[in-house]
Amino acid sequence: KSKDLEKTIMWALLAARSGDLFGCGQLSSPELEAQILKIAEEVPTRRFSKVNRPAKTKRWLHILSGVANVGGHTSLVTRWIGLGGDSDQHSVVLTFQNECNVNPLSKAVNSTGGKIITLGSEESLMERVIKLRKLAWNDADFVVLHTHMWDVVAPIALGIEGGPPVLFVNHADHVFWVGASVTDLVLNIRKKAEYLTKHYRGIDRNYQLPIPLTKPSELFGSNNTQRSIRKMVRSSLHIPLEAPVLITIGSPFKYNPILGLNFLSAAKEILQKCQDAYLIAIGPEMKDPDWGAAHETTQGRIIALGSQQGLVKYHLAADLYLEGFPFGSVTALLEACLAGLAPIRAPMTCPLQFRSDGIALDGIDSPVDTDDYIWKTVEFLNNREKRVAFGLRFAERVENYHCGDNWKEQLERLI
């Protein structure tokens, strides 16, 4: 029976991976969710002894499929832990990774007295489920799922009555994911996510929790230091100190043209209209034929640097942020705003589910189409006073919703 159950879990994982890869026209599968609950009931539950703890300590268990040094997903968890209550304890479980090589996350967890548990070396999926269930029942007051879309281990572990409340961070609201059947509350990081969750997953238990971010004062140092970094980065990229510099940040696939939406084509037109301007792209690489060709045709003024850690120095080197399209990157956009860069949002002609939005971005109008995107960018490049004022306005707005005590207040309301 144990072997049969292991095979059933593997089939559920295969089904979830298929849904993740191909979508199948759905954001959720009631049939697969029902199967997850059925498997959860059949997993042999061992007796778990309760652990005594101080009454004032809140114990958080963050469950991730895996972590990475680059990307907003892991950073969100790290910042959440850093902004949590002073007496809160945070632990992290990795269901499909056998080590945690992300130092900022490890330090954040250790500073709260928590621990990092890796289950990736456990060959049996059922044993992972049992171990995770034990951790949730014994060592957590709140369970937070930050899992990949196909991860069935967490929902199977949590798919029986009892245990702590389960919160699901909806970091990939536009695609298929599993876990709807075990989630007590879906935490949406943007407004559109709640609409998608209600109408295409059938979940009306929603709460909007902004992405936690770090205050600029904790990142940027003195004005002299900022000027020094700006000069150093520009020098390393052979960009004149007085040249206007655009920056865009996002995973390479988010720039792939669809439906006549071509970011690189728009970028080249912008640089043609502004002959002294440069564009730094973080994420895309020069070895990509399209980005390499753009570098050549603009005489080196489009510079694709690939994935990078420590984006602050690139923010300091830039004057204006261009949100990539057709697929926006909301964390990258917010961090650019927080750094004081005026943003140009992706055009409204991008598919609805690909557009960034959020409570702090409500006052930033999106260009109506690609031509308007180009026009707004050129206008800001030619008007330093306007772009600086616009950037400072939204830096304050993002800080008010996403940083420090303001974010903590929203977490307390959630609790």
Side-chain angles (χ1 to χ4, degrees):
K1 184 177 180 181
S2 178
K3 289 182 179 179
D4 290 343
L5 192 54
E6 179 74 19
K7 287 181 180 179
T8 305
I9 297 174
M10 291 179 71
W11 278 111
L13 178 61
L14 178 61
R17 281 191 177 275
S18 299
D20 174 38
L21 285 170
F22 305 113
C24 305
Q26 297 175 243
L27 294 186
S28 183
S29 167
E31 297 84 359
L32 181 54
E33 295 290 340
Q35 183 68 18
I36 284 171
L37 295 181
K38 184 173 183 292
I39 298 169
E41 290 289 345
E42 294 177 1
V43 171
T45 304
R46 298 169 184 172
R47 289 187 177 275
F48 305 135
S49 59
K50 292 295 180 183
V51 178
N52 294 326
R53 63 180 182 84
K56 293 184 178 179
T57 300
K58 295 185 183 75
R59 300 171 304 167
W60 297 84
L61 186 67
H62 300 267
I63 304 175
L64 298 92
S65 306
V67 293
N69 278 299
V70 176
H73 184 54
T74 307
S75 298
L76 185 154
V77 182
T78 305
R79 290 191 293 260
W80 179 322
I81 294 171
L83 286 172
D86 294 336
S87 63
D88 289 4
Q89 182 186 86
H90 293 264
S91 292
V92 167
V93 179
L94 307 181
T95 54
F96 282 84
Q97 216 168 53
N98 56 16
E99 64 176 350
C100 178
N101 55 3
V102 181
N103 288 331
L105 177 60
S106 298
K107 289 179 180 178
V109 170
N110 292 336
S111 70
T112 71
K115 54 190 175 182
I116 294 180
I117 304 101
T118 60
L119 302 177
S121 58
E122 176 59 68
E123 291 186 10
S124 167
L125 292 176
M126 189 168 71
E127 283 301 314
R128 296 187 201 186
V129 168
I130 291 171
K131 289 180 179 180
L132 182 56
R133 186 175 290 179
K134 180 179 179 180
L135 286 165
W137 259 245
N138 286 357
D139 301 328
D141 301 305
F142 302 95
V143 172
V144 188
L145 297 181
H146 309 264
T147 43
H148 288 354
M149 294 71 76
W150 43 261
D151 190 342
V152 298
V153 168
I156 291 174
L158 302 166
I160 60 174
E161 291 295 326
V166 178
L167 314 174
F168 191 106
V169 177
N170 196 6
H171 59 86
D173 57 69
H174 60 290
V175 295
F176 176 95
W177 51 255
V178 295
S181 56
V182 305
T183 298
D184 294 303
L185 195 63
V186 176
L187 307 183
N188 298 299
I189 59 177
R190 63 175 188 156
K191 288 183 176 180
K192 291 187 185 76
E194 182 169 341
Y195 173 84
L196 295 172
T197 301
K198 284 182 176 179
H199 292 272
Y200 297 101
R201 293 190 173 93
I203 307 173
D204 58 6
R205 306 177 302 280
N206 289 273
Y207 183 89
Q208 189 172 348
L209 184 69
I211 298 168
L213 297 172
T214 305
K215 286 185 178 182
S217 58
E218 300 172 16
L219 292 174
F220 300 140
S222 67
N223 289 335
N224 287 337
T225 301
Q226 292 178 40
R227 283 192 289 269
S228 176
I229 293 172
R230 179 182 177 91
K231 184 176 181 180
M232 178 191 68
V233 173
R234 286 182 171 229
S235 176
S236 68
L237 298 175
H238 307 291
I239 298 175
L241 189 57
E242 300 305 319
V245 173
L246 306 160
I247 186 170
T248 187
I249 301 170
S251 299
F253 77 88
K254 293 186 175 183
Y255 296 89
N256 293 340
I258 60 168
L259 305 173
L261 294 161
N262 190 317
F263 175 84
L264 262 180
S265 177
K268 287 186 284 188
E269 187 168 340
I270 290 167
L271 296 195
Q272 188 175 11
K273 294 178 182 295
C274 302
Q275 290 290 321
D276 57 343
Y278 286 73
L279 170 66
I280 298 171
I282 307 295
E285 298 179 325
M286 215 82 81
K287 66 181 181 182
D288 179 289
D290 292 334
W291 286 89
H295 179 76
E296 295 296 328
T297 57
T298 59
Q299 292 77 49
R301 291 189 295 137
I302 289 181
I303 306 168
L305 298 178
S307 295
Q308 299 288 326
Q309 296 183 45
L311 300 181
V312 174
K313 61 183 179 182
Y314 298 106
H315 290 146
L316 293 175
D319 301 295
L320 185 66
Y321 183 78
L322 291 184
E323 183 177 19
F325 63 83
F327 200 139
S329 297
V330 64
T331 302
L333 174 61
L334 290 168
E335 287 179 333
C337 287
L338 205 53
L341 293 175
I344 304 294
R345 296 182 67 178
M348 292 182 69
T349 43
C350 295
L352 179 67
Q353 66 271 33
F354 292 176
R355 288 188 235 153
S356 297
D357 75 310
I359 191 167
L361 301 174
D362 284 349
I364 308 177
D365 292 333
S366 296
V368 294
D369 54 23
T370 306
D371 287 342
D372 193 32
Y373 182 91
I374 294 167
W375 181 83
K376 279 183 165 62
T377 302
V378 172
E379 182 187 31
F380 267 136
L381 285 176
N382 291 331
N383 192 331
R384 182 183 183 280
E385 184 176 336
K386 182 176 180 179
R387 73 170 183 259
V388 168
F390 193 74
L392 291 175
R393 172 187 164 198
F394 280 98
E396 182 179 2
R397 187 172 174 84
V398 173
E399 184 172 344
N400 284 341
Y401 286 107
H402 293 268
C403 296
D405 291 339
N406 296 320
W407 188 84
K408 284 184 182 180
E409 287 178 10
Q410 295 172 86
L411 182 63
E412 284 301 319
R413 285 199 293 272
L414 162 65
I415 293 170

